[in-house]
Amino acid sequence: MVTIVLDPGHGGEDPGAIGRGGSYEKTVTLSVARRLKEKIDATPNMRSVLTRDGDYFIPLQQRVQKARRVRADLFVSVHADAFVKITARGSSVFVLSETGASSSAARWLANKENSADLVGGVNLGVKDPYLARTLLDLSQTATINDSLKLGKDVLGELGRINTLHKPHVEQAGFAVLKAPDIPSILIETAFISNPEEEARLNDEVYQDRMAEAILKGIRRYFAKNPPLAKSKLARLD
Ligand SMILES: [Zn+2]
């Protein structure tokens, strides 16, 4: 049985990006994540846990902590993108970078997502002082490699139902991707700032197709990387 933690981006006082048609990122991410949860729970040997199942705010670190508490095998954060240019479009998948953002656009986006912690107003960024730094780095490196594989499989499936914003998995310093021992991806489903994509993000049939594509990517990843064959470096608790 594998456990997949689904993280609908934003929530509560943090609406995320707001489309020109008035829809909130926090609302569409929850809809897509709930649909994905249903599909995962209906799949043999898979179960899912939502970091939030309602319209409330959770600091980013708590989302990661929840994933570690349930010993998640994967962490999938669901977002919708926004940009000042109305024509920006397409799906993206991000994994954690070790050296920070891989491009200035990614850096801008990383800052935007990280700033959600300030909205919560609670400083939860304290690292466990007892963790051996070397072990942590080793685990993190292995986890980023797994995250890249997962991201590639999910991006491939997203490319069947939507334009891809970039043809490859991007890397950035999102706080929500920082579990050192759980492969983690952040999906920007589409641009809520693009009126055409905003309309689709609100469409139930499209939300379902989006959830289905993400599930297919996850299943493709597990088919190639069976969880039992994976030797975990360490469970850092
Ligand atoms: Zn977001």
Side-chain angles (χ1 to χ4, degrees):
M1 179 67 81
V2 295
T3 302
I4 298 158
V5 166
L6 302 175
D7 175 46
H10 311 279
E13 68 215 68
D14 170 21
I18 301 171
R20 285 168 172 82
S23 41
Y24 289 167
E25 179 184 357
K26 66 176 182 179
T27 310
V28 297
T29 57
L30 182 57
S31 296
V32 172
R34 278 177 172 158
R35 288 170 195 279
L36 180 53
K37 176 173 173 49
E38 259 180 46
K39 291 175 190 294
I40 288 172
D41 292 346
T43 305
N45 304 317
M46 280 192 190
R47 69 160 187 149
S48 63
V49 176
L50 290 166
T51 55
R52 70 173 175 97
D53 193 9
D55 184 20
Y56 47 88
F57 180 80
I58 312 174
L60 299 174
Q61 264 79 11
Q62 277 184 27
R63 299 172 191 248
V64 180
Q65 281 163 9
K66 184 161 189 175
R68 304 195 65 247
R69 210 161 45 233
V70 301
R71 302 200 170 259
D73 294 279
L74 297 181
F75 180 88
V76 177
S77 193
V78 180
H79 287 256
D81 219 336
F83 196 60
V84 286
K85 281 171 79 177
I86 198 169
T87 50
R89 65 184 304 126
S91 305
S92 310
V93 176
F94 285 85
V95 308
L96 184 65
S97 65
E98 274 171 295
T99 54
S102 59
S103 71
S104 60
R107 200 175 304 125
W108 176 80
L109 213 137
N111 288 339
K112 184 188 62 172
E113 304 293 0
N114 284 338
S115 69
D117 253 1
L118 300 176
V119 178
V122 187
N123 181 10
L124 292 160
V126 183
K127 281 192 177 142
D128 183 341
Y130 302 103
L131 290 179
R133 179 61 195 259
T134 305
L135 186 59
L136 187 67
D137 286 349
L138 279 171
S139 181
Q140 186 77 81
T141 301
T143 299
I144 288 175
N145 283 334
D146 285 341
S147 303
L148 283 166
K149 289 179 194 168
L150 170 66
K152 204 174 168 186
D153 286 331
V154 171
L155 193 71
E157 293 297 331
L158 291 175
R160 294 169 184 268
I161 64 154
N162 196 18
T163 313
L164 294 181
H165 186 60
K166 293 268 175 66
H168 52 82
V169 176
E170 295 173 80
Q171 292 187 264
F174 293 124
V176 81
L177 298 177
K178 286 183 176 168
D181 50 358
I182 305 168
S184 304
I185 59 172
L186 185 147
I187 300 169
E188 297 283 7
T189 48
F191 277 79
I192 202 168
S193 54
N194 177 314
E196 201 180 306
E197 293 204 334
E198 180 186 11
R200 285 206 277 170
L201 282 170
N202 282 290
D203 179 80
E204 290 188 3
V205 174
Y206 190 77
Q207 286 177 355
D208 201 68
R209 290 180 69 198
M210 182 65 68
E212 189 65 37
I214 297 168
L215 174 64
K216 278 186 186 165
I218 290 171
R219 293 185 67 166
R220 192 178 289 273
Y221 166 79
F222 277 128
K224 289 185 286 188
N225 306 277
L228 289 176
K230 195 170 58 187
S231 67
K232 294 227 186 293
L233 266 169
R235 273 293 182 187
L236 303 161
D237 285 314

